[in-house]
Amino acid sequence: VSAIESVAVVGLGLIGGSLARDLSARGVRVLAYDANAESVRSAMRAGAVTESLDASLDGARDVDVIVLAVPVDAAAGVLARLAALPLRARLITDVGSTKRGIVDAANALSLASRFVGSHPMAGDHRSGWSVSRMGLFRDAVVYLCAPPAASRTTLQYATEFWRDLGARPVAIDADEHDRRVAWTSHVPHVVSSALGRALSRGGLPRRELGPGGRDVTRLAGAAPELWTSIVQDNASEIEPAIRAIEEDLAALRAALARSDREGIRAWLSASRAWFDAS
Amino acid sequence: VSAIESVAVVGLGLIGGSLARDLSARGVRVLAYDANAESVRSAMRAGAVTESLDASLDGARDVDVIVLAVPVDAAAGVLARLAALPLRARLITDVGSTKRGIVDAANALSLASRFVGSHPMAGDHRSGWSVSRMGLFRDAVVYLCAPPAASRTTLQYATEFWRDLGARPVAIDADEHDRRVAWTSHVPHVVSSALGRALSRGGLPRRELGPGGRDVTRLAGAAPELWTSIVQDNASEIEPAIRAIEEDLAALRAALARSDREGIRAWLSASRAWFDAS
């Protein structure tokens, strides 16, 4: 990132850790805090973090960019703490999977003009510093949600920040974002987990699955803490989406019960048509 | 396969085509039939098939092994046609995803002592000769289901046949097989398709998904014809399994509706525990 010399990363999990690695590899000074001090020490040994921050985040006052990479239900609290500091940063952003709550929270704070929420569509079911890696954001869509009070310069700056990491930033309204990711990310997690739970009840270990079944159940291994916060935060969008899946499964079951070959084929054909169109 | 000199493969799709490739690479003479003559010609050009068979399958009388690699609702008809021929084969097998029907059908025929049903847990959402490939069965579990009338020699022979292709054969009762794959294979397909259908209704193309969402929806691209036959054939096992998934999704939805954080976390934690244990 051309004009960026220093970035504070709060939270060194998969996303924060990968960010720190990419940024430091580009010569950016990376300051970091993580509740787990061992993650910070590992990141410093790996050369991904230049300097550690303490929980006050006081050392972040002079950096160019601040990134919150903490669970979605912790981000607003960290943001409030930052708002009490005399920040020099041109951009404050987060990386959470839901955006309405954090964007609303930011909009009410003094730092609102310099805040844009981010959601990189990267990573997988794993979490933590130990699985962070360089290049995680290459070609990944990163949704950018600006609060009403954000300046256009801030949005432009956020766009360049992510583009320089190889990502594809897409500006979107926070409500629309949460509606969309309920379907494209949260419900896939839920469905994958439901399948894992069913197999667990049936005493069928994952190693008995073929390649297809392993794909479908990969997200069943996601971190429960992180995802509890996400689905709870986006419950209003996720609930009707889950209900729609239940009803659609019931429709297939009804077709099976009446041996309706055409009905079954039509049901399966619609998903194939969607798959082929993408 | 040491003592095997010739194999007839009926159906040159992903499974039959991959079998033909592996066998011919081991110096086995491969005779093949496919309703699509162009697939047979392509396979002969690729050196995977030595000789083509006509629809009577009459040319298969002298081979050592006959493999039916046709859709599950077509296999019994082909088997009956073969039973009318004076076969020299020591092993007649199929590769279908359901086993109860074909094993029952075989048990009633004169060739029963030489039949063992096979189900290789290999392949993915794609189908047809064009996606067949060498080494598809390496390390894949292959379920073997012998009808009561099958000889122990036949089961041993089938075990060696698959082991020589690098697969891991597992003998299992046909009823137990169908119950198990309902959960490990068929319901994952259904769930993946339900998600694809939901995204389709929402106007959300697959390219908007992150890596996790793409994994979960990969099976949504499976061939509707093939899978209509499979889920219809195994409907009695699949119906209650789908219903259990619906009920489990409803339970999560209820926890979301009452903002039951502990309930949501417990729901997600069970799938993670299953994932970690496998």
Side-chain angles (χ1 to χ4, degrees):
Chain A
V1 181
S2 48
I4 294 180
E5 290 177 6
S6 55
V7 172
V9 177
V10 183
L12 287 173
L14 169 60
I15 301 292
S18 299
L19 256 179
R21 289 179 190 272
D22 275 0
L23 290 166
S24 60
R26 282 162 169 77
V28 174
R29 223 173 106 239
V30 176
L31 291 70
Y33 171 75
D34 193 288
N36 181 344
E38 182 49 36
S39 294
V40 181
R41 279 193 294 270
S42 296
M44 292 181 76
R45 277 195 301 269
V49 166
T50 322
E51 203 173 303
S52 73
L53 294 169
D54 63 36
S56 74
L57 304 180
D58 200 63
R61 358 175 129 207
D62 292 325
V63 299
D64 299 318
V65 175
I66 302 175
V67 182
L68 312 187
V70 298
V72 293
D73 54 353
V78 178
L79 204 59
R81 203 187 314 157
L82 284 170
L85 298 173
L87 301 177
R88 205 183 60 75
R90 282 173 287 174
L91 169 67
I92 299 129
T93 189
D94 77 316
V95 296
S97 295
T98 53
K99 297 267 68 84
R100 189 162 17 198
I102 191 71
V103 165
D104 283 354
N107 201 50
L109 297 171
S110 56
L111 50 67
S113 67
R114 295 176 285 164
F115 184 87
V116 166
S118 307
H119 175 199
M121 296 288 278
D124 48 41
H125 63 282
R126 296 170 301 172
S127 52
W129 159 258
S130 62
V131 294
S132 68
R133 52 194 183 270
M134 299 253 309
L136 184 70
F137 309 105
R138 192 164 303 134
D139 295 325
V141 165
V142 177
Y143 290 115
L144 297 181
C145 302
S151 74
R152 294 174 62 86
T153 317
T154 305
L155 182 56
Q156 184 55 39
Y157 198 67
T159 303
E160 285 165 20
F161 174 80
W162 286 108
R163 203 168 273 157
D164 283 353
L165 296 174
R168 296 186 284 131
V170 175
I172 185 173
D173 172 74
D175 286 348
E176 170 60 19
H177 168 274
D178 284 9
R179 204 157 29 238
R180 188 179 297 199
V181 296
W183 286 103
T184 61
S185 170
H186 306 167
V187 172
H189 264 85
V190 163
V191 160
S192 184
S193 297
L195 196 54
R197 288 169 52 82
L199 290 163
S200 175
R201 287 192 305 271
L204 293 159
R206 190 158 179 266
R207 63 177 170 275
E208 294 212 7
L209 275 56
R214 281 197 295 274
D215 276 350
V216 184
T217 55
R218 189 158 293 122
L219 293 179
E225 283 298 330
L226 276 178
W227 279 90
T228 298
S229 304
I230 292 169
V231 299
Q232 197 160 28
D233 194 49
N234 205 20
S236 63
E237 300 292 346
I238 293 173
E239 273 183 60
I242 295 177
R243 185 192 290 273
I245 299 267
E246 288 167 45
E247 288 168 356
D248 201 40
L249 288 172
L252 174 65
R253 196 159 46 78
L256 283 168
R258 62 174 188 269
S259 295
D260 174 4
R261 185 176 177 84
E262 273 317 301
I264 299 165
R265 178 162 45 193
W267 196 94
L268 291 169
S269 296
S271 80
R272 167 65 172 259
W274 170 81
F275 186 94
D276 285 347
S278 319
Chain B
V1 181
S2 47
I4 295 181
E5 289 176 7
S6 56
V7 173
V9 177
V10 184
L12 288 172
L14 169 59
I15 302 291
S18 298
L19 257 179
R21 289 180 190 273
D22 275 0
L23 289 167
S24 60
R26 283 164 170 76
V28 174
R29 224 173 104 239
V30 177
L31 290 70
Y33 172 75
D34 194 287
N36 181 345
E38 183 47 37
S39 294
V40 181
R41 280 193 292 271
S42 296
M44 290 181 77
R45 279 195 298 272
V49 166
T50 322
E51 204 174 302
S52 73
L53 294 169
D54 62 35
S56 75
L57 304 180
D58 200 63
R61 358 176 129 206
D62 292 324
V63 299
D64 299 318
V65 175
I66 301 175
V67 182
L68 311 188
V70 297
V72 293
D73 53 353
V78 178
L79 205 58
R81 203 186 316 157
L82 285 169
L85 299 174
L87 301 177
R88 205 183 60 75
R90 279 173 291 174
L91 170 67
I92 299 129
T93 188
D94 76 315
V95 297
S97 295
T98 53
K99 297 266 68 84
R100 191 163 13 200
I102 190 71
V103 164
D104 283 353
N107 202 49
L109 296 172
S110 56
L111 49 67
S113 68
R114 292 176 287 163
F115 183 87
V116 166
S118 307
H119 175 200
M121 296 288 278
D124 48 42
H125 62 283
R126 297 169 299 171
S127 53
W129 160 257
S130 62
V131 294
S132 68
R133 52 195 183 271
M134 299 254 310
L136 184 70
F137 309 104
R138 193 165 299 134
D139 294 326
V141 165
V142 176
Y143 290 114
L144 298 181
C145 303
S151 74
R152 294 173 63 86
T153 317
T154 305
L155 182 57
Q156 184 55 39
Y157 198 67
T159 303
E160 284 164 20
F161 175 81
W162 287 108
R163 202 168 273 155
D164 284 352
L165 296 173
R168 296 186 285 128
V170 175
I172 187 174
D173 172 75
D175 286 347
E176 169 60 17
H177 167 274
D178 284 10
R179 204 156 29 237
R180 187 179 297 198
V181 296
W183 286 102
T184 60
S185 170
H186 306 167
V187 172
H189 264 86
V190 162
V191 160
S192 184
S193 296
L195 195 54
R197 288 169 52 84
L199 289 162
S200 175
R201 287 192 304 272
L204 293 158
R206 190 157 180 265
R207 63 178 171 274
E208 293 213 7
L209 276 55
R214 281 198 295 274
D215 275 350
V216 185
T217 55
R218 188 158 294 122
L219 293 179
E225 283 298 330
L226 275 180
W227 279 89
T228 298
S229 303
I230 292 169
V231 299
Q232 197 160 27
D233 194 49
N234 205 20
S236 63
E237 301 293 346
I238 294 172
E239 273 183 61
I242 295 177
R243 184 193 290 271
I245 299 267
E246 287 167 46
E247 288 169 355
D248 201 41
L249 288 171
L252 174 66
R253 196 159 47 77
L256 283 168
R258 61 175 188 268
S259 296
D260 174 6
R261 185 177 177 82
E262 273 317 302
I264 299 165
R265 178 162 43 193
W267 196 94
L268 291 170
S269 296
S271 81
R272 166 65 171 259
W274 170 80
F275 186 93
D276 285 346
S278 321

